[in-house]
Amino acid sequence: MLPQLSLSLSAALALSLGAGRAVHAAPMESSSSSSQIDASEAGNPHSVDYSNRTIPSHSPTNDEINAAETGNPQSPDYGHRPALPPDDNTSAEWRSSEAADPNSI
């Protein structure tokens, strides 16, 4: 029984030493470089470098903000948008889109 135990312990020791050397033998090459990582974290507020980001000096004007929010349903001015002028095809387009719907009246 004693030779089997010592054989098992020596085999386990040899395997653990071999595995430890294999891990420390050579560093693994990364598939993505640090510049790729930095580029992917550019706007991430959880990034370590977020406080070092460059902030543009141009402040948008009200006209630029309003132009960007045109048609946005979450804009406060969405309810005050001008109505679209009706054309002759509005009813025909609506009926044709509803024609295939079994729930339409």
Side-chain angles (χ1 to χ4, degrees):
M1 181 81 169
L2 188 58
Q4 290 178 349
L5 181 61
S6 64
L7 181 62
S8 297
L9 287 175
S10 62
L13 181 63
L15 287 174
S16 64
L17 287 176
R21 287 185 183 153
V23 169
H24 297 293
M28 292 178 54
E29 292 188 25
S30 175
S31 62
S32 58
S33 67
S34 64
S35 62
Q36 290 174 333
I37 293 171
D38 292 342
S40 67
E41 291 188 350
N44 184 359
H46 301 292
S47 174
V48 177
D49 295 328
Y50 188 71
S51 61
N52 299 332
R53 70 192 185 283
T54 57
I55 300 173
S57 61
H58 171 69
S59 180
T61 63
N62 285 338
D63 292 335
E64 291 173 335
I65 293 171
N66 291 337
E69 289 188 352
T70 302
N72 181 1
Q74 296 175 347
S75 172
D77 295 329
Y78 187 72
H80 304 293
R81 68 189 184 283
L84 296 174
D87 60 354
D88 296 333
N89 295 329
T90 305
S91 297
E93 289 175 7
W94 175 74
R95 285 190 199 109
S96 67
S97 68
E98 293 285 320
D101 187 8
N103 296 323
S104 67
I105 297 176

